[in-house]
Amino acid sequence: MKHWIQALALAAMASIAAAQEHHSFEQQFSGFEPDVDVERSLGGPLSLLGEKLFHDTRLSGTGGTACASCHEPNYAFADPRQVSQSDGGQLGRRNAPSLINAGLLPVLMWDGRFRSLEQQAFSPFARGEMGIDIFEAERRLNSDPKYLHLFRVALNSRPSANGMAIALAAYQRTLISGESRFDRLIRNSEADTFTAVELDGFLLFERKAGCSNCHLTRAPVNHRASGLRLFTDLGFHCGIRGIADRIPTQAGQGSDDCGQPLKAA
């Protein structure tokens, strides 16, 4: 009996330590300011490791879900479904947004709860969306000789939860939008790049419809944006289409009600 009590006590202590360690991971990356210029470099070992992790379905309970399952490259790294789905098939309450230019945003998620891509990386494991926790993901990586090599090359360490977050964030920071016809129109006044209908639509967007009041067609005041137009005012808006019970005013104060899928009329 004494041995059983000791075993249970040790298991409880390990569980508490694991929970504290997981909490410290997120705290470590709270407000984290990465070296963006270095981590944006295409083809570097860190971003290549992150790309492999991003598409690896083995980091899920069923072996069928990866980051790319909800952030699909063919859909601008967004989810074409109304709401995203967890590894176990459970429907969420929100749609996964595009990751294009996500590394340039000051806060992440629909309510701005995360302040860096590194901090956000733990959320799908902590919320059960991947079907395993971060420690099981870490264990699986450490059992794979290829990952042992890739982590050694990229980070000079064994696979770890922190290393996963850093590599995934490095890859996501390479997802930068290219120059479009709109960019050329704004930068060089090349109106001939637009058709007459497109130009009318742009003028409507800017003036009568007022779309650009929130979806700014100028670069926001944001040190990370480097002049890119992100089509956002970086604010949080929830008082539209009948969802007006609570309106978040700043990052991290959003209501879950803002994330509920709108019901068909």
Side-chain angles (χ1 to χ4, degrees), residues 111 236 248-254:
D111 58 7
F236 296 86
T249 57
Q250 62 184 14
Q253 290 190 350

Side-chain angles (χ1 to χ4, degrees), residues 20 46 62 75 93 98 102 107 150 164 186 192 194 206 214 223 232 247 264:
Q20 290 174 339
L46 192 57
T62 66
Y75 291 91
R93 299 180 67 187
S98 171
V107 292
L150 291 173
M164 286 175 59
I186 297 298
D192 58 345
F194 272 30
E206 279 281 299
C214 296
H223 72 284
T232 175
I247 301 177

Side-chain angles (χ1 to χ4, degrees), residues 135-175:
F135 303 107
E136 174 60 17
E138 184 180 279
R139 186 194 68 77
R140 294 184 184 189
L141 294 179
N142 274 283
S143 67
D144 187 327
K146 291 183 179 179
Y147 273 119
L148 290 173
H149 172 71
L150 291 173
F151 270 84
R152 182 65 59 188
V153 171
L155 292 167
N156 194 30
S157 68
R158 293 181 65 87
S160 66
N162 279 350
M164 286 175 59
I166 291 170
L168 283 167
Y171 168 61
Q172 290 175 81
R173 290 194 180 95
T174 69
L175 306 178

Side-chain angles (χ1 to χ4, degrees), residues 20-67:
Q20 290 174 339
E21 186 176 1
H22 182 270
H23 179 71
S24 68
F25 289 155
E26 293 192 356
Q27 289 298 313
Q28 177 175 344
F29 293 116
S30 179
F32 180 66
E33 290 291 343
D35 187 338
V36 177
D37 291 333
V38 171
E39 294 183 5
R40 253 189 228 166
S41 59
L42 292 169
L46 192 57
S47 62
L48 287 175
L49 170 59
E51 182 177 14
K52 182 174 176 62
L53 290 167
F54 188 86
H55 290 90
D56 197 337
T57 58
R58 292 176 297 171
L59 299 180
S60 66
T62 66
T65 302
C67 302

Side-chain angles (χ1 to χ4, degrees), residues 194-207 209 211:
F194 272 30
T195 66
V197 173
E198 289 170 337
L199 193 57
D200 285 344
F202 171 59
L203 294 176
L204 185 64
F205 187 93
E206 279 281 299
R207 299 174 184 174
C211 306

